[in-house]
Amino acid sequence: MAEKLELALLGNPELHRAGQPLAKFRSAKVYALLYYLAVSRRAQPRSVLAGLFWGEIDEYYARRNFNRTLSDLAQYVGDHLQIDRQTVAFDRSQPYWLDVEVLENAAATQPTAQNLTTLTAAADLYRGEFLDGFTVQDAPEFEQWVLNERTRLRASTLQLHTMLSQFHAERGELTQAMNQTRRILQIEPWREEAHRELMLLLAQSGQRSAALAQYELCRQALSSELNVEPDAATLDLFARIRAGKVDH
């Protein structure tokens, strides 16, 4: 049985094997190949992988470069790869941990009293954008994939925080609901519905002044990020809070 391989890719990538940092790879494309195989969850044709990283050069040289990169990767994590003449895959039968997978599974799960701790921990795995700070030169197809994954995983994270906030709010756990809503605003400060939810939660918890101050933060974020003003629903909530018409 292979030693456990751990990949933390939400934020600046971190790789560990048996609890120890993995030895430094020879090139960025060796790392990129591992990240792509682990996240894509299926066997990939060698020709597709060669095109992903060397799509702008002759096919012969693209395949030669790919074979060299795959050989380098196999030196480090070969027991976590399934390699044949046509395809390459990340071997999920070997012990591994992948934060992307944990987050995605959590985002597809409705919160309950029994799984709340697990889902909250999964949401906290989002340290930043997928592969934050990681780039590969001369691989536009890979870079586009990274951008698409960043968008998808950010949406999953926001969905998970929203579900957790709503779950806590329905149980009257306003502090925990506010904490989850603030995490949403850390990721997307311009998300108006999250500002509105936080205003309401603050007002319901008796923090009327903080709720009114949150409106101002919302207004500033919308102005600086999107150059727009708060919408009618936000203005209406602000007016009701200021008039003391939001129930505790």
Side-chain angles (χ1 to χ4, degrees), residues 10-216:
L10 297 168
N12 188 259
E14 297 178 1
L15 305 178
H16 291 81
R17 181 168 184 149
Q20 299 298 317
L22 209 55
K24 189 174 181 180
F25 292 176
R26 187 173 302 179
S27 72
K29 287 186 177 179
V30 180
Y31 286 98
L33 178 58
L34 174 60
Y35 301 155
Y36 186 80
L37 290 171
V39 174
S40 63
R41 297 198 186 199
R42 60 182 181 273
Q44 298 289 339
R46 287 171 174 260
S47 58
V48 170
L49 294 170
L52 185 69
F53 297 108
W54 295 278
E56 298 182 351
I57 66 174
D58 180 82
E59 182 178 355
Y60 169 80
Y61 292 104
R63 283 180 173 270
R64 189 176 70 173
N65 288 340
F66 168 72
N67 289 337
R68 183 181 299 124
T69 299
L70 178 60
S71 177
D72 287 343
L73 180 60
Q75 291 181 26
Y76 297 99
V77 296
D79 48 4
H80 283 81
L81 301 176
Q82 295 176 331
I83 302 173
D84 61 34
R85 292 176 62 86
Q86 300 298 324
T87 65
V88 183
F90 186 78
D91 189 350
R92 281 175 160 72
S93 69
Q94 299 299 329
Y96 77 97
W97 179 87
L98 174 63
D99 59 352
V100 169
E101 194 170 274
V102 175
L103 175 66
E104 288 182 303
N105 291 339
T109 305
Q110 288 297 317
T112 66
Q114 290 71 37
N115 66 21
L116 182 60
T117 299
T118 299
L119 297 189
T120 301
D124 289 341
L125 292 174
Y126 193 85
R127 299 173 291 117
E129 296 276 20
F130 175 65
L131 299 185
D132 189 27
F134 178 77
T135 59
V136 178
Q137 293 184 344
D138 304 320
E141 295 293 332
F142 174 79
E143 292 292 340
Q144 184 59 55
W145 174 78
V146 170
L147 291 176
N148 293 342
E149 289 298 296
R150 284 177 179 169
T151 299
R152 186 177 65 82
L153 292 167
R154 187 188 311 120
S156 293
T157 304
L158 294 170
Q159 175 183 325
L160 180 54
H161 282 302
T162 298
M163 291 192 303
L164 290 169
S165 177
Q166 292 172 347
F167 180 80
H168 284 300
E170 290 169 0
R171 288 158 54 104
E173 299 165 348
L174 301 185
T175 298
Q176 294 92 324
M178 286 187 281
N179 289 341
Q180 293 297 327
T181 305
R182 287 190 174 103
R183 289 296 306 274
I184 293 171
L185 291 172
Q186 288 174 356
I187 298 170
E188 289 191 351
W190 58 87
R191 183 170 282 252
E192 189 170 359
E193 60 268 31
H195 281 285
R196 203 157 50 234
E197 179 65 18
L198 186 53
M199 289 168 60
L200 181 60
L201 291 167
L202 286 165
Q204 290 174 335
S205 66
Q207 302 179 64
R208 178 171 171 271
S209 295
L212 296 175
Q214 188 63 41
Y215 167 79
E216 182 59 27

Side-chain angles (χ1 to χ4, degrees), residues 203 208 212 237-248:
R208 178 171 171 271
L212 296 175
L237 178 59
F238 174 70
R240 289 193 292 117
I241 294 172
R242 186 170 56 182
K245 294 183 179 180
V246 173
D247 293 333
H248 290 191

Side-chain angles (χ1 to χ4, degrees), residues 189-190 192 195 199 212-231 234-235 238:
W190 58 87
E192 189 170 359
H195 281 285
M199 289 168 60
L212 296 175
Q214 188 63 41
Y215 167 79
E216 182 59 27
L217 292 175
C218 172
R219 190 192 65 78
Q220 292 174 3
L222 291 174
S223 177
S224 62
E225 299 284 351
L226 304 176
N227 195 30
V228 298
E229 292 296 319
D231 65 22
T234 305
L235 293 173
F238 174 70

